[in-house]
Amino acid sequence: MSRKGKVYIILLILTVIVIVFLEMTKAKSVNWFPSYATHHKIPYGTYVFQDLLEKHSTTINNNERPPFEYLGSDASMDGTYLFINDNIYFGEDELYRLLDWVDDGNKLFISASDFEEKLLDTLNLNTRSINTFSNFSGDFELKLVNPNLDDRSVYTFEKDPVMFYFNRIDSVSTKVLGVIKNQDSESDIDEEELLANVIRQPFGDGEIILSTFPQAFTNYFILKDNGKDYTSDLMSYIDFDRPLYVDQYYKSGKTIYSSPMYLFLNTKSLKWAYYIVIIGALIYIIFEGKRKQRMIPIVQPLKNQTVDFTRTISNMYYENGKHKDIVHHKIQHFLEYIRNHWHLQTSIIDNTFVTNLASRSNNTIEDTTALFEAIKAIENQEEVSATRLERLNNLIENFKSNNQWKTKT
């Protein structure tokens, strides 16, 4: 290897080392993906909320199956069914099964920014996003309005630029439990500007609670300032003396890792070890992966022996005195030549055929007639001499040579 090539290799290795060092030492960026999965410790995971539930209640049932399947497997189950995610979309049959279960005296608690449309129509509700044109900081104030709660503080949330509220409710049967507003509109919450974001509505013998603020159950909100008090007050509407069924099926965060590479890519040291192996393999392929073998000998292609074979067979016929057979093959080959080159049928040889052949082959009618009379005469002979064979061959070759001359000119 030349000196210049070695310098390039050293520069490449140093560049890779610097890149790896910079990547390993830089701060890990925060993942703000709205997961709401209980096993995620990222800001929008619900790991802390799940841990608090398990510490303060012994009647929690985590459900990783669809509600339609889960409710159908046990007709005697009762209590509260809790859903937390950025959006909840049930199928029609699944929604009806949930509503029938609530109608039997159970409670449905759903916290999501976007709800099942058919559920909103059933409860005569509608949601809308808050106008944030005047709220450049993206801060929102939240409050639970139940006077029976000891702590009725105002809570601030500033991480989402868009928040939702119920802009249409059934005032007869629906009770507002929580409100929200833009922080920049007023310093204090005025009753006229309150936007309902948590409501409760009876349904049959049961009850449905809906919240448009699922962020209240995330790690970020619970661990920030006094956010855990808001979440705790919100959970006071659940009867923990009865079983609590926590949905783990409708989650935006992935709960099962189908790829084994997750273990490598999610661990910093293993991830960079994996990258270094790939980079090393590429360097080896570039500089040492050349195929090494002896020179491949040149194999000459086989020659076309058709002409030599034909010449040998014809000589054999000629030397054995089989002139009649040679004449037969010669005439048949000539007729095939007429069909292929001048596109004439040779089944009937008459005056019309002779005239057309003479015209297309650049021969006179007399020469053409003489040729076919000679062919007819030699075919009628039992024995053919070498002289007659040579004369027929010369007539045919001269006849064909006139056409070749015409083609060249």
Side-chain angles (χ1 to χ4, degrees):
M1 183 179 294
S2 64
R3 182 178 180 182
K4 183 182 293 185
K6 293 180 180 179
V7 172
Y8 288 154
I9 293 176
I10 294 174
L11 291 176
L12 178 61
I13 295 174
L14 290 176
T15 303
V16 172
I17 294 174
V18 171
I19 294 175
V20 172
F21 175 78
L22 293 176
E23 288 292 332
M24 294 184 67
T25 55
K26 76 174 184 180
K28 189 176 181 180
S29 59
V30 179
N31 184 3
W32 290 97
F33 174 70
S35 165
Y36 297 97
T38 56
H39 67 285
H40 274 168
K41 298 181 181 180
I42 60 177
Y44 275 7
T46 56
Y47 178 85
V48 175
F49 174 72
Q50 182 70 18
D51 184 61
L52 293 175
L53 281 181
E54 293 175 354
K55 287 181 179 179
H56 295 85
S57 177
T58 58
T59 58
I60 295 178
N61 300 279
N62 293 306
N63 174 33
E64 296 183 355
R65 292 185 292 169
F68 182 87
E69 178 184 339
Y70 192 59
L71 294 175
S73 63
D74 186 3
S76 63
M77 62 179 289
D78 63 342
T80 303
Y81 211 140
L82 176 61
F83 293 85
I84 303 171
N85 200 36
D86 55 344
N87 57 73
I88 300 291
Y89 298 106
F90 302 112
E92 184 174 344
D93 294 336
E94 187 171 66
L95 175 62
Y96 288 153
R97 176 163 289 185
L98 274 170
L99 295 179
D100 290 340
W101 182 74
V102 174
D103 185 64
D104 292 336
N106 299 296
K107 182 177 293 187
L108 177 64
F109 194 120
I110 303 177
S111 183
S113 300
D114 196 6
F115 294 96
E116 172 76 23
E117 190 66 30
K118 201 165 190 64
L119 173 63
L120 296 177
D121 291 340
T122 302
L123 302 179
N124 195 23
L125 300 171
N126 192 29
T127 61
R128 179 181 296 174
S129 62
I130 298 178
N131 186 344
T132 58
F133 290 113
S134 61
N135 187 358
F136 297 103
S137 62
D139 294 348
F140 297 91
E141 292 181 345
L142 304 113
K143 181 181 180 181
L144 297 176
V145 298
N146 191 334
N148 295 322
L149 296 175
D150 295 333
D151 185 7
R152 294 188 294 278
S153 302
V154 175
Y155 302 88
T156 302
F157 186 74
E158 74 287 347
K159 278 299 179 183
D160 271 346
V162 179
M163 300 289 283
F164 292 84
Y165 69 99
F166 295 99
N167 65 315
R168 187 187 70 189
I169 60 176
D170 187 350
S171 58
V172 176
S173 59
T174 304
K175 182 177 181 58
V176 176
L177 304 180
V179 293
I180 186 174
K181 78 160 191 173
N182 287 358
Q183 188 182 41
D184 291 351
S185 60
E186 292 287 344
S187 59
D188 298 322
I189 292 182
D190 297 329
E191 293 297 329
E192 295 181 356
E193 297 180 353
L194 299 182
L195 303 175
N197 76 320
V198 184
I199 57 100
R200 177 172 63 184
Q201 187 176 122
F203 190 87
D205 294 333
E207 187 178 62
I208 297 176
I209 298 177
L210 301 180
S211 169
T212 63
F213 186 59
Q215 297 89 338
F217 303 94
T218 61
N219 303 325
Y220 174 79
F221 185 83
I222 293 176
L223 297 177
K224 183 179 182 299
D225 300 332
N226 58 344
K228 64 182 182 300
D229 297 332
Y230 179 91
T231 306
S232 176
D233 291 344
L234 192 58
M235 294 302 295
S236 66
Y237 291 100
I238 295 178
D239 183 5
F240 284 95
D241 293 332
R242 302 178 67 187
L244 173 63
Y245 305 94
V246 181
D247 173 72
Q248 306 292 348
Y249 180 77
Y250 286 108
K251 297 293 184 182
S252 298
K254 192 174 183 180
T255 57
I256 299 176
Y257 301 101
S258 57
S259 174
M261 291 305 300
Y262 171 78
L263 296 177
F264 283 91
L265 301 180
N266 197 49
T267 305
K268 192 173 184 180
S269 56
L270 292 178
K271 178 178 69 174
W272 280 106
Y274 174 71
Y275 288 162
I276 291 173
V277 169
I278 293 179
I279 294 172
L282 291 176
I283 293 175
Y284 175 81
I285 291 173
I286 293 173
F287 296 102
E288 294 294 333
K290 297 179 181 179
R291 185 174 64 176
K292 299 177 181 178
Q293 66 178 35
R294 64 181 181 179
M295 184 182 298
I296 300 176
I298 299 176
V299 179
Q300 296 293 340
L302 297 176
K303 295 181 179 180
N304 188 349
Q305 303 292 337
T306 303
V307 176
D308 294 338
F309 175 76
T310 304
R311 184 179 292 108
T312 301
I313 296 297
S314 62
N315 290 335
M316 182 182 67
Y317 271 87
Y318 186 78
E319 291 173 358
N320 290 335
K322 296 182 179 181
H323 301 151
K324 181 66 176 180
D325 293 336
I326 298 176
V327 165
H328 176 73
H329 287 297
K330 187 69 176 179
I331 294 172
Q332 295 300 320
H333 183 267
F334 178 59
L335 295 178
E336 179 69 19
Y337 182 85
I338 293 173
R339 290 191 293 269
N340 292 335
H341 287 76
W342 295 309
H343 307 291
L344 293 173
Q345 294 294 328
T346 59
S347 57
I348 300 176
I349 300 176
D350 52 11
N351 293 333
T352 303
F353 170 79
V354 171
T355 303
N356 291 334
L357 179 59
S359 175
R360 297 189 184 188
S361 64
N362 197 35
N363 287 280
T364 63
I365 297 178
E366 291 76 9
D367 291 341
T368 305
T369 303
L371 173 62
F372 279 92
E373 287 178 353
I375 290 175
K376 183 176 181 181
I378 201 171
E379 281 184 329
N380 294 330
Q381 293 181 357
E382 294 293 335
E383 297 292 334
V384 179
S385 64
T387 303
R388 296 292 300 271
L389 175 60
E390 292 178 1
R391 181 174 179 273
L392 175 64
N393 181 70
N394 293 333
L395 288 173
I396 292 176
E397 294 301 324
N398 291 334
F399 188 87
K400 291 170 25 177
S401 64
N402 289 335
N403 177 68
Q404 295 174 357
W405 175 85
K406 179 183 177 182
T407 302
K408 292 180 180 179
T409 56

